[in-house]
Amino acid sequence: TGTGKETVALFLHNKSPRKNEPFIAFNCANVTPNLLESRFFGHEKGAFTSASDRHSGLFEQANGGTLFLDEINAMPPGLQAKILRVLQERHVRRLGDSRERPVDVRIITAMNTNPWQAVQEGQLREDLYFRINVVQLEIPPLRQRLDDIPLLVQHFLDKYNRQLSKQVLGLSDEVELLFRAYHWPGN
């Protein structure tokens, strides 16, 4: 958490042939399980009580581009099976619809734990793990990459100098040493 998983996913998208197509980021842990299916696959008007309009799901929205799924292991196993089917068949069916729609989406997934450990603990289906584990990147926490601190400091100085019309030039040596000595437990 906080290592920049979405930033890396966006970087990969922007350096790919899909860069001019949609990039959709979605955190699977931030939505209640009963809403996830509608968010992923969409729904037709009247598919359930509050479905007052037709809605395309994340797979359709990202068609041609990239769908970044953070905390994929937070999804219930039944929904993981449906995601696996979409990845295998390259079709989605909206809730309340009898028609399947083709989708061409690159999936980038992330989690804040070791993926194989998530499989062993029953948080991630093993068949889904093998389908999504084409290339695995590990983004170490900041406490393991202290040399990135000056780059991050400069990035945030530039950003907030622009936003706040300030001209802060940098950090004192003392503050930089404090930053390097800090354990960064949340990251």
Side-chain angles (χ1 to χ4, degrees):
T1 301
T3 57
K5 297 182 299 272
E6 185 173 335
T7 301
V8 171
L10 183 58
F11 175 82
L12 293 171
H13 172 77
N14 286 334
K15 296 297 181 185
S16 77
R18 295 175 183 260
K19 66 184 175 192
N20 295 322
E21 300 300 330
F23 173 84
I24 307 290
F26 183 75
N27 187 319
C28 302
N30 286 343
V31 178
T32 58
N34 59 338
L35 294 177
L36 279 172
E37 191 166 358
S38 174
R39 290 297 305 270
F40 279 113
F41 307 116
H43 60 262
E44 293 295 317
K45 181 178 179 178
F48 47 88
T49 305
S50 60
S52 57
D53 292 313
R54 173 182 294 157
H55 174 73
S56 61
L58 295 171
F59 282 100
E60 286 184 84
Q61 293 170 28
N63 196 26
T66 303
L67 177 57
F68 171 62
L69 302 177
D70 197 5
E71 305 302 333
I72 192 169
N73 55 315
M75 278 192 279
L79 187 56
Q80 289 182 28
K82 291 178 181 182
I83 298 292
L84 178 62
R85 180 168 169 74
V86 170
L87 296 177
Q88 291 171 337
E89 304 298 324
R90 299 176 183 230
H91 286 85
V92 295
R93 180 179 295 151
R94 292 179 184 165
L95 297 175
D97 196 357
S98 59
R99 185 173 66 125
E100 288 193 332
R101 301 163 192 278
V103 289
D104 173 21
V105 179
R106 177 186 38 209
I107 304 293
I108 299 176
T109 64
M111 57 188 74
N112 63 5
T113 186
N114 178 294
W116 185 245
Q117 181 182 343
V119 170
Q120 298 300 315
E121 294 174 358
Q123 298 174 351
L124 183 65
R125 289 176 55 109
E126 187 173 5
D127 50 358
L128 180 58
Y129 167 78
F130 285 114
R131 175 62 67 169
I132 62 176
N133 191 31
V134 177
V135 174
Q136 191 174 112
L137 300 174
E138 183 177 339
I139 306 170
L142 186 57
R143 66 183 162 272
Q144 293 177 8
R145 50 189 177 98
L146 296 177
D147 289 340
D148 287 356
I149 290 174
L151 298 169
L152 290 167
V153 166
Q154 193 59 53
H155 165 77
F156 288 114
L157 282 176
D158 292 346
K159 176 180 178 178
Y160 291 112
N161 278 338
R162 277 192 309 276
Q163 283 183 4
L164 303 172
S165 299
K166 300 286 182 182
Q167 293 183 350
V168 178
L169 300 178
L171 299 179
S172 68
D173 291 341
E174 181 182 359
V175 172
E176 188 170 334
L177 287 173
L178 287 171
F179 278 2
R180 286 180 175 274
Y182 188 66
H183 180 62
W184 302 102
N187 185 323

